[in-house]
């Protein structure tokens, strides 16, 4: 998570509560074929996130890397998420960005926790490939052929 002017309460809540819960949810819900070699990212930015050089060389032992960024925005959104790099082998997302509006996050308001968590969970879905821009890469697991955008969106 980027270290711009956010206090420990926000950092702890975002990292250890809502983001970790989303990771746990998707890890339990999905099965993926693990990468067999270190994940190496081809650039130094992922949308608005700066990528540390260790992700470019030598790479990291991971199947998916999510860069979390934050801002204090007056715009009406909790967060957004998107994939920024796809695997050369199978076009599966291997890196993405989760961007959180700190003005919309209320760590001390338990009545908003479910809304905030649900929003982050939804954004993870976009990062994982459940996004219209990535439908073209969906593969039929039986035929190993592209499903085709028109067979997904009607």
């Amino acid at each position: 998570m980027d270290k711009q002017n956010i206090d420990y309460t926000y950092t702890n809540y975002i990292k250890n509560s809502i983001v970790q819960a989303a990771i746990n949810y998707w890890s339990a819900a999905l099965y993926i074929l693990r990468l067999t070699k270190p994940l190496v990212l081809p650039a130094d930015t992922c949308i608005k996130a700066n990528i540390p050089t260790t992700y470019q060389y030598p790479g990291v032992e991971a199947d998916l890397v999510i860069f979390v960024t934050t801002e204090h925005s007056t715009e009406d959104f909790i967060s957004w998420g998107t994939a920024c790099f796809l695997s050369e082998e199978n076009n599966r997302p291997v890196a993405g960005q989760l961007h959180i509006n700190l003005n919309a996050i209320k760590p001390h308001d338990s009545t908003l926790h479910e809304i905030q968590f649900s929003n982050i969970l939804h954004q993870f879905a976009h990062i994982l490939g459940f996004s219209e821009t990535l439908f073209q890469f969906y593969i039929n697991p039986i035929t190993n052929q592209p499903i085709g955008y028109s067979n997904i969106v009607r």
Side-chain angles (χ1 to χ4, degrees):
M1 194 158 74
D2 64 4
K3 300 286 193 254
Q4 68 170 324
N5 301 317
I6 62 175
D7 67 27
Y8 175 78
T9 303
Y10 279 87
T11 302
N12 186 53
Y13 178 69
I14 290 168
K15 182 178 178 182
N16 298 321
S17 185
I18 54 178
V19 168
Q20 189 58 55
I23 291 169
N24 294 345
Y25 175 89
W26 286 112
S27 294
L30 300 176
Y31 172 80
I32 63 164
L33 297 174
R34 305 299 306 250
L35 296 177
T36 58
K37 56 186 178 183
L39 174 60
V40 177
L41 300 180
D44 60 358
T45 57
C46 172
I47 316 301
K48 290 184 169 186
N50 293 323
I51 299 175
T53 56
T54 56
Y55 289 88
Q56 297 159 34
Y57 180 83
V60 294
E61 295 296 327
D63 297 301
L64 175 69
V65 176
I66 298 175
F67 298 98
V68 179
T69 55
T70 61
E71 73 173 306
H72 289 278
S73 176
T74 56
E75 294 180 39
D76 186 25
F77 73 98
I78 295 173
S79 66
W80 55 258
T82 188
C84 56
F85 296 113
L86 305 179
S87 165
E88 291 178 1
E89 291 179 27
N90 56 19
N91 290 317
R92 180 180 84 200
V94 292
Q97 181 182 355
L98 172 64
H99 188 72
I100 299 172
N101 179 4
L102 295 173
N103 288 347
I105 299 295
K106 309 293 184 217
H108 300 294
D109 190 342
S110 61
T111 62
L112 294 177
H113 177 79
E114 188 66 29
I115 292 168
Q116 294 167 154
F117 168 68
S118 296
N119 182 274
I120 298 296
L121 196 63
H122 176 93
Q123 301 314 322
F124 267 59
H126 290 303
I127 294 167
L128 288 165
F130 299 98
S131 179
E132 189 172 355
T133 60
L134 298 177
F135 289 166
Q136 64 185 317
F137 300 114
Y138 282 24
I139 302 293
N140 180 319
I142 296 169
T143 65
N144 209 28
Q145 297 299 310
I147 293 172
Y149 181 86
S150 62
N151 291 319
I152 297 168
V153 178
R154 296 179 190 239

